[in-house]
Amino acid sequence: MMAQAILLVACLAGEVSAASCLPPPRPFVPSDSQAARDYVDLIRSDFEIYMRDIQSYFRCLEVERARAFEEAREVSQDYGRFLELMDE
């Protein structure tokens, strides 16, 4: 029972990790040039925030990729052990 609980927690933690890599929203640029001029500072700030946040998003994806790769390696080893048990 304890092993099942640990497995469940590990699975849920992995899902949370993957779900936390959310891409930032794209900045909005009005098609009306006057509106763009009226909100130039806000639009510029939105682009700067996007550039900062997209870098964090890329780092998150890299961490998640490494985690998933390691998990896949471990599962592959588990499967190999399972197949060995079936051959006995």
Side-chain angles (χ1 to χ4, degrees):
M1 181 67 173
M2 183 62 149
Q4 291 171 336
I6 292 171
L7 180 60
L8 178 61
V9 169
C11 289
L12 291 177
E15 289 176 20
V16 170
S17 175
S20 65
C21 293
L22 299 175
R26 291 179 67 145
F28 173 74
V29 178
S31 57
D32 175 29
S33 62
Q34 184 57 48
R37 280 191 287 278
D38 291 345
Y39 298 101
V40 65
D41 292 335
L42 181 60
I43 295 168
R44 183 176 289 125
S45 175
D46 285 350
F47 273 97
E48 290 170 0
I49 290 168
Y50 175 85
M51 294 304 197
R52 179 198 65 208
D53 290 350
I54 198 70
Q55 294 302 316
S56 295
Y57 175 63
F58 291 150
R59 284 189 294 276
C60 182
L61 290 175
E62 284 300 314
V63 168
E64 177 55 19
R65 180 191 164 287
R67 186 210 60 79
F69 187 82
E70 178 62 22
E71 179 181 277
R73 187 188 64 74
E74 291 170 1
V75 168
S76 178
Q77 290 174 347
D78 291 345
Y79 187 54
R81 284 189 293 274
F82 166 75
L83 292 176
E84 288 174 6
L85 285 173
M86 295 299 99
D87 287 339
E88 291 180 358

